[in-house]
Amino acid sequence: MNDGLHADAVRVLSDWRPGDAGQDTLRREFLAHLSEHADGMWRECVAGHLTASTAVLDATGERVLLTLHPKAKMWLQLGGHCERADMSLAEAALREAAEESGIEGLRLLPGPVRVDRHRVWCHGGSYHLDVQYTAVAPPDARLQISAESDDLRWFPLEAVPDPADDVLRRLVEASGRLFAAHAN
């Protein structure tokens, strides 16, 4: 088991100070989950497991790359399960974004930017405790749709398409603010 990833997740979530009380409550719940479940990083954890996702922005910070998820049948950010070789949540988020987009040279902004817990089909009904990051694609980014996507497209930050959920809309909004803060 990769105890280093578990320790990194505890450190990242302990150090992160979200901007609102709801996000802080979720952050604390994620930490409690990790304290109660030594296997809380892995999909084998029936009670739920941490995942890492990324809102990928273009080099101008004006567009977000979204995937049409084949199971959820909605537009989502890129991301997924942590793997045993991942040494950090940030590494897992960046790996997933690169695998699902085909883009080389993604640059992760300091994060996380948000967290989200949602019910999924793992184990007949489990939870993803998603730690969400923001990455910036290089100006010459070339997309390649992976087997994990029905479609992959850039959308203006203000025009997240339907079907999508409010979790994605809040992540895109927060990612736009983070990009602007790091552009100055």
Side-chain angles (χ1 to χ4, degrees), residues 87-176:
M87 297 311 295
S88 69
L89 278 173
E91 182 181 307
L94 199 55
R95 175 189 49 74
E96 283 285 332
E99 286 175 2
E100 292 183 12
S101 70
I103 297 175
E104 296 179 16
L106 291 171
R107 178 178 51 91
L108 208 59
L109 297 180
V113 65
R114 294 190 56 81
V115 291
D116 177 62
R117 180 182 53 226
H118 53 273
R119 198 148 185 70
V120 292
W121 41 89
C122 301
H123 308 293
S126 185
Y127 288 92
H128 278 175
L129 287 72
D130 194 33
V131 181
Q132 302 173 333
Y133 289 84
T134 303
V136 180
D140 60 349
R142 292 179 185 249
L143 307 179
Q144 184 167 343
I145 297 175
S146 77
E148 298 181 45
S149 179
D150 284 344
D151 198 357
L152 187 66
R153 290 191 221 164
W154 293 105
F155 294 94
L157 296 186
E158 313 78 38
V160 171
D162 286 321
D165 61 15
D166 287 339
V167 172
L168 175 64
R169 294 176 202 292
R170 285 189 292 268
L171 172 60
V172 169
E173 184 179 307
S175 293

